[in-house]
């Protein structure tokens, strides 16, 4: 198997940003990594998991990001180098521990890699995690390309060990999921020995217990550590300036925005007018370095995403030293030079820069654009996101939606995070009616389930996946049971963490490295909590609808576990449960009695409407053989036969 | 390492298609072939919800002198390789320009909107018409059909890499291809991929531009 | 007869609270289902015209069209509808078992099954107090479905399912609204080429009002443990109570309270005696153990004759005063309902876009409303 351990020092190869992070961690002598799947971060842990087959490292998909950070911290406390990896919202989950970890300090080098998703390409929010560094007084690093992803990771471990605290590295989708040339370093031969020294005094940094007490003392220490990091930042090779000595405008930037900014300067042809201060160390800003460069120009243009975090820091610093560098004009997100929502790209930066310089920038001839717009509007049909053919969620939401209509009391489902989040859309019959964070569906349902005293008579449900159940739903369910809320939780158990790439979780019998491990049983856990539990196969839509309807009439906390594995899981690959056939001569088509139920409403991609034959047909290549369409077809045109 | 001069620097290549068609593999393949020759390569990918029927794109930046951003600026694509024909149109809307060239598969992948009868899928003639107006040259290749003849539809992506190689704007020699294959593919899969590459080379070499091949 | 689709059905019936839950829209297609007495649309079918709307007894019921189809005569608004004979009737000596009233319906249906005049009968059974649709094929199974349910039932779901399964020569026993729906279906209003009338015998039962199952259960649940209910009855006047049977015994509730649960849709129904049937059967006020029997069609006439001859049914003359009283009651319901419907605007036919609940010939309406 090819792993990121391949290749020798000095080799240059094309690497994905996340692969580069993983390689950097190995080059730093990492021993332990823990994370929770989250796009765009997952490949870091996946690559390290593959590497663990050839290198002695422990790789864990933890139950959630808070525990992941705690697991990594333990390794650090025991003197090993460790990393916690997550997407931006994972940092929110880990933040309580992160605050305390920052105050208690670490021992072995420990880093947090937070991979953010500006533009919400794979998220339900445009949150970012850089402010946590400021909030918790920790050093923040932002690589701008794949080489830096590797090199800064390695350096981050050194910094962490020097200051004895967590170092945060921030990435974005356009870095984590992009690939570029990376020159490899060497993989050290390490022989780590884990030992947690705790017998010293409370303030002994080497051998004392690791706590946040005494709080004021530890807090002061933490601030001292940060100051030390800043002195390193002043000399860091990851902060660079390129451009004229006296530019009209200085762009201050970091992360992938560095590449956009460089591109923008090139597109406008203003390399002689615009300087680029690229920062790799973005919190705290090294004041002497900043002063040197901010003095060069009167106009400062900060390019970043998502919040004006860097911009605010630059403004504060500039205000503090304005007597030495003069008063500056600032542009960025706050004044509308850059948009405040969605991700950036070279064009948005070029447009902003052009505005500042009093130029116009036109990417392409407007007649071409008009023609291309017309072409796409007429002849490039939109691709709505849809559940895969054979996805158990389509069947589950079919049953839940129909049960709610039959119940007739305007009941609703509180949604959660996973592939099933798509059930907001027609692919899931627009069944989900709230959608927030991990576990929020059940927390909110627990709340709705107590409003009967105020006249609420609508039945309340929530959904969650099997991974989400362990991550965050359990405490919410405990809350509902203990507080006697009336609600039904539907656990959509498709045997994996599907949306992020089918990683394992505590309900599965194998771990990140493929070892056999105990699988926790959701039904047993929920029964032990005291909820009423039922199970059903979502592919049996009639039985499932019947069960849902029954539970909607019951009070108290009900849990319905719908068990059917994901269409993309390894066990199902290339195998069909049923051979499904469609006899077009029997199909009711557009007539009263059907009107294209299977293609128009059920919308499985394996079913296609043939406007010439005026009948549906099955695409053999896409059809995964789940057989659900045969159950819903009113004419009997669709039949299914078990595959031997 | 001294690198051959490119038709443009940076040279901007977009590989597009529908999730699951193998655009990522194709982009890595091309990226590796060029990185091995000393070029600075940046590949930007948009995936995530791609498995669930969405459009996907890989942006390849190839340069002799510096690292480029993972997103190609608007209107600056030099070449578009499309695994699905309507995706080529979609890409041209943002990144096309009068000088762009397009190599596209002819096999449609219907969106859910089309399969359920809500939207209409354009005819090949309509698509050719647009390509005529929006590009400086377009190649229409029955990549899926040819790939199926070789064994499996997914080979269409490698076939189109062969086609790209034949057009000659980028130095994508067969030897380079073999080397990268040997390095990145399991041994058993190398030969069939070579056949696909060769087929792509052959179909383009045998035709002139804007003809069905 | 104007034909509309499911969108109009939802607008004109469900959203106006006129749905009686008869089930005529269910089992024609996948989009309508019934649950605990209420019909629900799962998804809009997006068709402009459909059987669900055309057959529904609460929208676009064209009384003239029905009358022409069945009697070759215009609708005249007569209180009891068209009939050949009115008689007193009860189950004959050949019929075993005890009945709530006279047992006439059970006797006729069981006889028709026995003699293979019909292949099956669509009846209304019950699970506890929840009425359920039943398709029976054996005479012995009929008695289990005997007795008024007093609760609106989705009986016609079983008719639609049976028809789809290819059943023909069916009997259906239903309330006036149900029989109106069945009558519309038999006219094949959507002009389907593959239509075959599955009905061989239509038996109507008299009805003044019915209760909504969900509302009744909610009412009872506040006053007792509804899970122990095994059945219920409304004894004839002057009792004025609803009797609920449980394993332990009986509970009684004042009818005055129960009447508040009558769904508003019953108050626009002009038909007390199920005018669109072969025979209609009701209580015989003042004579327990007997029914009032209206024989309307030749089919009904022949069936009654044969059943009497075979000892399955007993008939007697029906006193003129009783017929007048019945007629008076039926007329009162008709007038009251038309007046109520008119007040709500449900009878408007004055422009192209009106979709009335019932199309009443204007002269008939004028005469009745005075």
């Amino acid at each position: 198997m090819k792993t990121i351990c391949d290749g020798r020092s000095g080799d240059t190869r094309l690497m994905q940003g996340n692969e580069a992070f993983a390689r950097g961690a190995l080059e730093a002598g990492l021993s332990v990594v823990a994370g929770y799947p989250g796009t765009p971060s997952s490949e870091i842990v996946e690559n390290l998991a593959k590497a663990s087959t050839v290198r002695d490292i422990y790789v864990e998909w933890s139950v959630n990001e808070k525990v992941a950070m705690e697991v990594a911290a333990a390794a650090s406390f025991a003197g090993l180098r460790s990393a916690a990896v997550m997407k931006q919202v994972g940092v929110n989950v880990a933040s309580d521990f992160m605050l305390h970890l920052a105050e208690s300090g670490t021992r072995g080098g420990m880093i947090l890699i937070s991979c953010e998703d500006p533009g919400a390409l794979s998220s339900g929010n445009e949150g970012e995690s850089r402010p946590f560094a400021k909030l918790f007084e920790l050093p923040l690093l932002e690589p701008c390309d794949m080489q830096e992803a590797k090199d800064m990771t390695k350096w981050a471990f050194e910094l962490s060990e020097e200051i004895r605290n967590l170092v945060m590295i921030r990435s974005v989708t356009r870095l984590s999921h992009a690939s570029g040339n990376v020159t490899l370093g060497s993989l050290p031969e390490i022989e780590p020995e884990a030992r947690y020294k705790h017998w010293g005094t409370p303030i002994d940094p080497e051998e004392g217990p690791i706590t946040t007490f005494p709080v004021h003392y530890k807090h002061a220490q933490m601030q001292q550590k940060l100051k030390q990091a800043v002195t390193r930042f002043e000399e860091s090779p990851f902060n660079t300036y390129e451009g004229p000595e006296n530019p009209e405008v200085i762009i201050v930037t970091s992360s992938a925005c560095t590449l956009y900014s460089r591109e923008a300067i090139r597109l406008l042809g203003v390399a002689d007018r615009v300087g680029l201060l690229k920062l790799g160390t973005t919190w705290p800003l090294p004041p002497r370095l900043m002063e040197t460069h901010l003095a060069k120009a009167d106009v400062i243009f900060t390019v970043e995403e998502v919040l004006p975090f860097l911009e605010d820091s630059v403004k504060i610093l500039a205000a503090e030293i304005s007597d030495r560098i003069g008063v500056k004009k600032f542009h960025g997100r706050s004044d509308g030079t850059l948009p405040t929502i969605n991700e950036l790209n070279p064009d948005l930066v070029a447009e902003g820069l052009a505005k500042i310089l009093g130029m116009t920038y036109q990417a392409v001839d407007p007649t071409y654009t008009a023609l291309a717009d017309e072409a796409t509007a007429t002849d490039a049909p939109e691709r709505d996101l849809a559940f895969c053919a054979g996805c158990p969620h389509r069947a589950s939401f079919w049953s839940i939606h129909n049960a709610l209509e039959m119940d007739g009391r305007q009941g609703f489902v509180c949604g959660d995070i996973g592939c099933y989040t798509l059930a907001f859309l027609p692919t899931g019959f627009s069944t989900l009616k709230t959608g927030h964070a991990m576990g929020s569906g059940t927390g909110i349902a627990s709340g709705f389930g107590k409003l009967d005293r105020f006249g609420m008579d609508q039945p309340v449900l929530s959904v969650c996946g099997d991974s989400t159940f362990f991550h965050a739903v359990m405490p919410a369910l405990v809350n509902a049971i203990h507080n006697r809320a009336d609600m039904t939780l539907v656990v959509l158990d498709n045997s994996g963490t599907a949306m992020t790439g089918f990683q394992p979780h505590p309900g599965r019998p194998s771990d990140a490295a493929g070892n056999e491990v105990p699988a926790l049983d959701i039904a047993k856990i929920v029964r032990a909590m005291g909820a009423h539990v039922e199970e059903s196969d979502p592919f049996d839509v009639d039985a499932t609808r019947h069960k849902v309807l029954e539970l909607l009439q019951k009070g108290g906390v009900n849990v319905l576990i719908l068990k059917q594995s994901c269409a993309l899981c390894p066990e199902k690959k290339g195998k069909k449960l049923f051979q499904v056939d469609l006899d077009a001569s029997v199909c009711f088509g557009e007539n009263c009695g059907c009107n294209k139920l299977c293609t128009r409403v059920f919308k499985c991609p394996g079913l296609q409407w043939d406007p010439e034959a005026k009948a549906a047909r099955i695409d053999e290549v896409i059809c995964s053989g789940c057989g659900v369409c045969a159950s819903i077809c009113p004419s009997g045109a669709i039949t299914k036969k078990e595959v031997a | 390492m001294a690198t051959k001069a490119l038709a443009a620097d940076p040279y901007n290549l977009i590989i597009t298609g529908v999730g699951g068609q193998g655009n990522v593999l194709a982009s890595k393949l091309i990226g590796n072939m060029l990185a091995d020759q000393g070029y600075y390569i940046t590949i930007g990918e948009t995936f995530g919800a791609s498995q669930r029927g969405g459009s996907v794109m890989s942006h390849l930046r190839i340069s002799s002198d510096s690292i480029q951003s993972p997103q190609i600026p608007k209107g600056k694509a030099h070449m578009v390789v499309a695994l699905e024909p309507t995706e080529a149109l979609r890409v041209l809307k943002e990144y096309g320009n009068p000088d762009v060239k397009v190599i596209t598969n002819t096999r449609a992948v219907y969106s859910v909107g089309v399969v359920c009868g809500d939207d209409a899928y354009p005819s090949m003639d309509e698509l050719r018409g647009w390509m005529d107006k929006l590009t400086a040259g377009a190649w229409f290749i029955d990549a899926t059909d040819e790939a199926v003849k070789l064994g499996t539809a997914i080979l269409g992506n490698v076939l189109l890499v062969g086609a790209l190689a034949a057009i000659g704007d980028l130095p994508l020699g067969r030897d380079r291809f073999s080397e990268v294959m040997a390095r990145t593919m399991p041994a058993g899969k190398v030969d069939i991929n070579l056949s696909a590459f060769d087929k792509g080379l052959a179909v383009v070499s045998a035709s002139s531009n804007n003809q069905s091949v | 007869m104007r034909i509309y689709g499911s969108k109009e059905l939802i607008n004109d019936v469900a959203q106006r609270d006129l749905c009686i839950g008869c089930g005529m829209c269910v089992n024609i297609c996948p989009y309508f289902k019934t649950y605990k007495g209420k019909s629900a649309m799962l998804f809009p079918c997006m068709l402009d015209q459909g059987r669900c709307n055309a057959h529904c007894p609460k929208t676009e019921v064209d009384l003239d069209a029905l009358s022409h189809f069945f009697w070759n005569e215009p609708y005249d608004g007569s209180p009891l509808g068209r009939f050949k004979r009115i008689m007193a009737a009860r189950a004959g000596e050949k019929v075993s078992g005890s009945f709530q009233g006279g047992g006439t319906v059970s006797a006729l249906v069981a006889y028709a099954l026995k003699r293979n005049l019909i292949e099956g009968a669509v009846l209304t059974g019950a699970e506890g107090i929840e009425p359920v649709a039943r398709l029976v094929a054996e005479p012995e199974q009929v008695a289990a479905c005997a007795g008024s349910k007093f609760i609106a039932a989705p009986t016609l779901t079983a008719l639609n399912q049976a028809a789809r399964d290819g059943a023909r020569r069916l009997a259906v026993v239903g309330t006036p609204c149900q029989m109106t729906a069945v009558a519309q279906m038999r006219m094949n209003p959507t002009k389907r080429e593959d239509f075959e009338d599955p009905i061989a015998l239509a038996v109507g039962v008299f009805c003044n009002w019915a209760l909504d199952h969900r509302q009744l259960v909610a009412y009872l649940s506040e006053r007792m443990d509804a899970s122990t209910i095994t059945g219920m009855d409304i004894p004839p006047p002057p009792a004025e109570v609803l009797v609920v049977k449980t394993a332990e015994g009986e509970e009684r509730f004042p009818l005055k309270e129960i009447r508040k649960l009558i769904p508003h849709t019953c108050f626009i129904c002009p038909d007390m005696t199920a005018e669109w049937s072969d025979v209609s059967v009701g209580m015989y006020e003042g004579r327990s153990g007997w029914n009032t029997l209206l024989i309307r069609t030749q089919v009904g006439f022949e069936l009654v004759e044969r059943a009497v001859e075979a000892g399955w049914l007993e008939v007697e003359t029906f006193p003129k005063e009783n017929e007048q009283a019945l007629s008076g009651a039926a007329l009162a319901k008709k007038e009251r309902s038309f007046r109520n419907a008119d007040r709500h605007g449900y009878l408007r036919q004055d422009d192209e876009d009106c979709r009335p609940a019932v199309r009443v010939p204007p002269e008939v309406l004028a005469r009745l409303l005075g």
Side-chain angles (χ1 to χ4, degrees), chain A residues 379, chain B residues 85-86 89 120-130:
Chain A
D379 284 333
Chain B
T86 58
L89 277 189
Y121 194 89
S123 68
M124 209 54 222
D125 282 336
E126 282 168 310
L127 287 168
R128 278 178 199 276
W130 286 120

Side-chain angles (χ1 to χ4, degrees), chain A residues 12-33:
Chain A
T12 300
R13 49 188 40 179
L14 207 55
M15 274 188 124
Q16 189 198 47
N18 279 349
E19 289 174 345
F21 282 121
R23 174 79 193 195
L26 289 178
E27 289 181 6
L30 170 101
S31 294
V32 172
V33 61

Side-chain angles (χ1 to χ4, degrees), chain A residues 187-239:
Chain A
L187 293 176
E189 285 309 314
I190 51 166
E191 282 182 22
E193 254 192 53
R195 191 142 179 79
Y196 177 45
K197 299 176 185 164
H198 54 79
W199 35 81
T201 68
I203 61 172
D204 181 348
E206 298 298 322
E207 301 193 353
I210 302 181
T211 72
T212 59
F213 302 100
V215 174
H216 301 149
Y217 175 83
K218 285 284 170 81
H219 191 191
Q221 272 217 314
M222 186 175 106
Q223 291 174 343
Q224 212 30 58
K225 294 173 181 185
L226 197 63
K227 284 205 176 90
Q228 206 179 332
V230 172
T231 56
R232 293 285 164 264
F233 288 176
E234 295 283 9
E235 310 302 319
S236 167
F238 300 117
N239 301 322

Side-chain angles (χ1 to χ4, degrees), chain A residues 354-414:
Chain A
K355 220 180 345 191
I356 296 170
L357 293 173
M359 298 167 67
T360 45
Y361 174 64
Q362 195 176 78
V364 110
D365 179 357
T367 34
Y368 183 93
T369 312
L371 200 60
D373 279 350
E374 199 195 317
T376 353
T378 52
D379 284 333
E382 284 302 323
R383 290 190 192 274
D384 271 347
L385 293 179
F387 291 129
C388 305
C391 176
H393 298 330
R394 175 180 287 106
S396 297
F397 285 107
W398 181 259
S399 301
I400 295 171
H401 170 276
N402 293 343
L404 284 169
E405 292 297 334
M406 287 169 72
D407 177 86
R409 289 179 287 163
Q410 298 187 318
F412 55 89
V413 183
C414 299

Side-chain angles (χ1 to χ4, degrees), chain C residues 76-142:
Chain C
D76 63 5
S78 53
L80 300 173
R82 294 193 186 263
F83 63 96
K84 293 186 182 319
R85 290 269 206 104
I86 183 167
M87 318 202 70
R90 68 173 176 185
E93 51 183 26
K94 285 278 172 61
V95 183
S96 54
S98 62
F99 297 99
Q100 185 189 50
T104 304
V105 172
S106 299
L108 286 172
V109 173
Y111 175 72
L113 275 172
K114 186 106 181 143
R115 288 286 158 262
N116 200 29
L117 302 173
I118 57 175
E119 229 172 66
V122 174
L123 306 175
T124 308
E127 277 163 17
I129 56 166
E130 183 178 352
V132 290
R134 295 242 190 274
L135 174 70
V136 317
E138 304 300 324
E140 302 76 48
Q141 297 168 315
V142 174

Side-chain angles (χ1 to χ4, degrees), chain A residues 525-560:
Chain A
I525 292 171
V526 177
R527 277 199 183 96
M529 285 182 183
H532 172 88
V533 182
E534 304 254 9
E535 294 182 50
S536 189
D537 173 6
F539 283 167
D540 186 348
V541 287
D542 289 332
T544 300
R545 187 187 72 226
H546 186 75
K547 282 244 149 73
V548 174
L549 260 173
E550 255 179 20
L551 294 175
L552 290 177
Q553 315 311 315
K554 271 183 92 269
V557 177
N558 306 302
V559 177
L560 175 62

Side-chain angles (χ1 to χ4, degrees), chain A residues 2 14 145 174 177-181 260 263 344 346-347 363-364 368 373 376 379-381 383 386 419 498 599 609, chain B residues 31 39 41-43 47 52 61 69-71 73-74 76 84 87 90 93 96-97 109 115-116 122 130 134 183:
Chain A
K2 318 236 178 275
L14 207 55
D145 58 32
R174 298 298 181 186
H177 281 174
S179 300
N181 313 63
Y260 307 154
E263 189 106 44
L344 290 179
D347 291 85
V364 110
Y368 183 93
D373 279 350
T376 353
D379 284 333
R383 290 190 192 274
C419 277
T599 54
W609 175 249
Chain B
Y39 293 101
I41 303 292
T42 308
I43 309 177
F47 49 71
R52 291 27 169 210
R61 320 296 307 281
S69 88
Q71 294 190 69
K74 301 271 183 286
K76 302 290 187 243
E84 205 282 342
E87 294 309 315
R90 219 188 300 283
K93 173 177 157 158
N97 55 74
V109 174
V115 303
C116 77
W130 286 120
L134 292 169
R183 200 170 75 219

